[in-house]
Amino acid sequence: MKRFTGFDLAALCCGLAFLYLPVLLVVLFSFNASKLVTVWGGFSLEWYGALWQDDDLLDAARLSLLIGAGAATLSTLLGTLAALALAGRRFPGRRILGGIMLAPMVLPEVILGVSILLLFVMLEAERGGLTVMLAHATFGTAFALVVIRAKLVTLNPDLEAAARDLGATPWGAFRHAVLPALAPSMAAAWLLAFTLSLDDLVIASFVNGPGATTLPIKIYSSVRLGVTPEINAIATLLIALVAIIVGIAAWLQSRSAPARR
């Protein structure tokens, strides 16, 4: 096994600093007493108090949470159904269907946003929170499919067969034998889809409408006029929320993974 050298450690530290130092600076300056975001004026929680008085930001945050929850639920449901279909019996076009389901993971967000916008225009759908939720579910389903399918292929197929032999109906066998085993992966998929929806800016900017400004769009619009301490505060809260969600998802996924011998 190759030894970990001093050069390797220095390269690792430089890489981590490049990735996370800007994030740490945002968190640090969210507690800055000065209105100037580049000058440290002492420790203060003033901007967190000012944040709770900003109705526009709070409304955007509530909308983003609502859209994220709806998109994650729809993504998990569709991803579970797709995983069951792709992991089941072979059928013509199985590989093509799998590729189509996973395509949103590799398509550029601009292309995906434009294509979804054209679809809504063709359907003459009124753009708003619902269209943003459906658009987020489009790419969230692909990620949910990967997470749930990875667990499904490791399940013992004899579980469902044994339940059927004991007299269970097809739905009963799935509900009592397969679904409990998939539950941790489904929860992880839901949390991942929720995080992706909460973070999205590009696709939402194409399909949102009047009164459907999500938090990333609101923050981006505010930053274009200059970074304010309130933006640092809301960004810090988002970082904390996403870190908790990703941590929970990783924990649930590790619990669902087969134990190593």
Side-chain angles (χ1 to χ4, degrees), residues 25-259:
L25 289 176
V26 169
V27 175
L28 175 65
F29 278 94
S30 70
F31 300 101
N32 187 12
S34 173
K35 292 184 178 181
L36 300 176
V37 295
T38 57
V39 178
W40 180 255
F43 181 85
S44 175
L45 296 174
E46 174 185 358
W47 306 114
Y48 287 91
L51 174 63
W52 296 117
Q53 303 299 324
D54 193 327
D55 293 335
D56 290 339
L57 273 177
L58 294 180
D59 289 341
R62 281 190 287 266
L63 179 62
S64 291
L65 293 175
L66 181 62
I67 290 175
T73 302
L74 185 57
S75 297
T76 304
L77 176 60
L78 295 177
T80 302
L81 295 176
L84 291 171
L86 294 175
R89 297 180 179 178
R90 297 183 179 274
F91 55 88
R94 180 170 172 263
R95 292 183 179 274
I96 297 177
L97 177 60
I100 293 175
M101 293 294 297
L102 298 178
M105 295 181 63
V106 296
L107 282 176
E109 289 187 337
V110 173
I111 296 178
L112 190 59
V114 171
S115 61
I116 297 175
L117 173 61
L118 293 176
L119 174 63
F120 289 143
V121 171
M122 184 180 65
L123 297 176
E124 298 182 354
E126 182 179 356
R127 283 178 287 168
L130 179 60
T131 56
V132 176
M133 185 188 72
L134 294 176
H136 286 179
T138 300
F139 64 83
T141 299
F143 290 91
L145 170 61
V146 171
V147 174
I148 297 172
R149 188 181 181 185
K151 175 61 180 179
L152 191 60
V153 296
T154 64
L155 291 182
N156 187 349
D158 295 334
L159 289 176
E160 187 174 3
R164 295 291 302 276
D165 290 341
L166 293 174
T169 62
W171 165 245
F174 172 77
R175 183 163 61 91
H176 294 290
V178 179
L179 190 58
L182 286 181
S185 293
M186 292 174 64
W190 191 96
L191 292 170
L192 178 59
F194 177 80
T195 303
L196 293 171
S197 174
L198 191 64
D199 181 63
D200 176 68
L201 169 66
V202 177
I203 296 177
S205 64
F206 281 98
V207 299
N208 75 325
T213 301
T214 61
L215 187 58
I217 294 177
K218 179 64 178 178
I219 292 176
Y220 178 73
S221 300
S222 300
V223 169
R224 292 175 63 186
L225 302 177
V227 179
T228 65
E230 290 182 29
I231 298 300
N232 288 336
I234 190 65
T236 300
L237 293 177
L238 280 177
I239 292 170
L241 177 62
V242 171
I244 292 172
I245 291 174
V246 172
I248 293 174
W251 177 69
L252 290 173
Q253 188 69 8
S254 65
R255 287 191 59 190
S256 65

